[in-house]
Amino acid sequence: MSATQPDASPSTTPPVSVVIPVLDEERHLRDAVAQVLRQSYAGELEVVLALGPSTDRTDEVAAELVAADPRVRTVPNPTGRTPAALNAGIGAARHDVIVRVDGHAEIPEDYVATAVRTLDETGADNVGGLMKAVGRSAFERAVACAMRSRIGVGGGTFHVGGGAGPVDTVYLGAFRRSALDRVGGYDERYTRTQDWHLNLKLRQTGGTVWFTPDMEVTYRPRSTVKALARQYFQYGQWRRVVMREHPETANARYLAPPVMVAGTAAATLLGLAWAPALLVPTAYVAGVLVGGVAISGGEPARARALTPLALATMHWSWGVGFLTSPRSLGREEA
């Protein structure tokens, strides 16, 4: 992607606040902040770090970054929860354009310039781009293949790509403060899916959420089956919360994993007494094996062998999380 040279006129280079939620990021915080400070953006930049109760040296690293550059500030986030961190950072931010960045995300040098230009050109409330999953280990590379494919995550544009235009949600995001104020910021009940829920509120109140492939962010997937399963189990749980509160958001993409889990489990049990029913789990296993091979072309042999495992972990964890999501979830966090 070629770097964008921002227009130097004040109208196209408004001051920008970059908000980063931070918790136990001793290893990555310096690099995350450095990526923001290296932006090829002609306007004023500030970085607001919302610090949760870390158990490593994160707070010390943050203090060193503040001392080294006046553009970096910190605000406390006693709960450690991501939506609370984002609200605290946004509340402390000085500027009207808010760009969200995560501690593990890797952004290109023209990211802020592209975000501001796209906000200006489209009039959208929130703009975001592609969550490009890139792994290092064999398992991470397998997960990345699954996360970039429709067989792994459905048809989410920010996962699989597509042309610029209005969408339901985007990864991270760059916002107009007026839009965030209009919907009351992030809902702090949502441990997961807070981005999806915020974008839903923006759209329900007449705003536009805009995807552009020009904003590409490198995302590092989970490195173990256990961590991946926990992540997708929580995604499924919280997506059920959204659907309870907003039934109109139910669609085939989100219902597919729980339907698969329920159907495959029932057919397996039935198969103990009636063998033909075992065709259902057999078909699922075959589909995951063939699909995993198909989406991992060009990867090393071990990564290709692990891709079906990554797919199945994502499918089953999301589906089980959705099916077992307690009705108290979300309510108890209010």
Side-chain angles (χ1 to χ4, degrees):
M1 177 170 51
S2 61
T4 300
Q5 297 300 321
D7 190 318
S9 66
S11 63
T12 57
T13 55
V16 171
S17 296
V18 177
V19 174
I20 307 178
V22 180
L23 181 68
D24 292 327
E25 293 285 4
E26 176 187 352
R27 292 177 55 198
H28 305 284
L29 186 56
R30 290 186 192 278
D31 289 341
V33 172
Q35 287 179 48
V36 177
L37 298 179
R38 286 197 301 264
Q39 289 292 299
S40 59
Y41 182 63
E44 180 183 346
L45 274 179
E46 70 165 353
V47 181
V48 182
L49 306 176
L51 299 179
S54 295
T55 58
D56 58 10
R57 292 186 62 257
T58 293
D59 287 1
E60 295 174 47
V61 174
E64 293 168 3
L65 292 169
V66 170
D69 196 307
R71 293 174 293 175
V72 182
R73 297 190 294 123
T74 63
V75 294
N77 172 34
T79 70
R81 292 165 59 83
T82 299
L86 292 167
N87 284 339
I90 292 164
R94 298 188 178 106
H95 304 313
D96 289 332
V97 175
I98 310 291
V99 176
R100 175 186 172 179
V101 172
D102 278 352
H104 282 77
E106 299 175 17
I107 59 173
E109 289 187 359
D110 65 344
Y111 187 79
V112 171
T114 303
V116 171
R117 186 187 72 243
T118 306
L119 279 171
D120 184 60
E121 291 175 350
T122 64
D125 285 338
N126 180 19
V127 301
L130 186 66
M131 177 183 174
K132 183 181 179 183
V134 178
R136 295 188 176 96
S137 70
F139 183 71
E140 290 172 359
R141 292 175 74 126
V143 176
C145 288
M147 294 185 73
R148 296 194 302 262
S149 71
R150 294 184 184 277
I151 189 176
V153 293
T157 306
F158 73 90
H159 279 298
V160 302
V167 291
D168 288 346
T169 192
V170 291
Y171 182 50
L172 303 180
F175 305 87
R176 301 176 189 275
R177 181 185 290 276
S178 59
L180 294 170
D181 290 343
R182 186 179 77 237
V183 299
Y186 288 86
D187 190 326
E188 295 187 10
R189 294 174 302 155
Y190 282 77
T191 301
R192 295 284 188 182
T193 67
Q194 67 267 8
D195 295 303
W196 201 99
H197 188 257
L198 175 70
N199 287 315
L200 173 65
K201 292 193 296 181
L202 291 174
R203 292 186 288 109
Q204 287 180 332
T205 54
T208 299
V209 178
W210 189 272
F211 171 83
T212 173
D214 295 334
M215 291 173 66
E216 185 176 285
V217 182
T218 298
Y219 170 84
R220 299 297 180 184
R222 299 297 194 269
S223 59
T224 66
V225 172
K226 182 179 180 180
L228 181 67
R230 183 187 305 115
Q231 178 187 25
Y232 272 78
F233 180 80
Q234 291 175 348
Y235 283 163
Q237 283 190 312
W238 283 95
R239 192 62 184 80
R240 180 75 177 272
V241 174
V242 174
M243 289 178 60
R244 285 194 189 108
E245 295 186 359
H246 304 279
E248 72 280 5
T249 66
N251 60 41
R253 175 187 169 198
Y254 295 116
L255 293 175
V259 169
M260 180 279 297
V261 167
T264 303
T268 302
L269 291 175
L270 180 59
L272 298 177
W274 188 56
L278 294 176
L279 288 173
V280 174
T282 300
Y284 174 77
V285 171
V288 167
L289 290 172
V290 172
V293 171
I295 65 175
S296 59
E299 292 289 340
R302 180 162 172 74
R304 299 197 76 182
L306 290 171
T307 301
L309 174 62
L311 285 170
T313 301
M314 292 162 62
H315 293 166
W316 278 82
S317 300
W318 206 103
V320 171
F322 184 95
L323 291 170
T324 62
S325 177
R327 287 193 170 273
S328 61
L329 191 64
R331 296 177 185 175
E332 63 191 17
E333 303 291 347

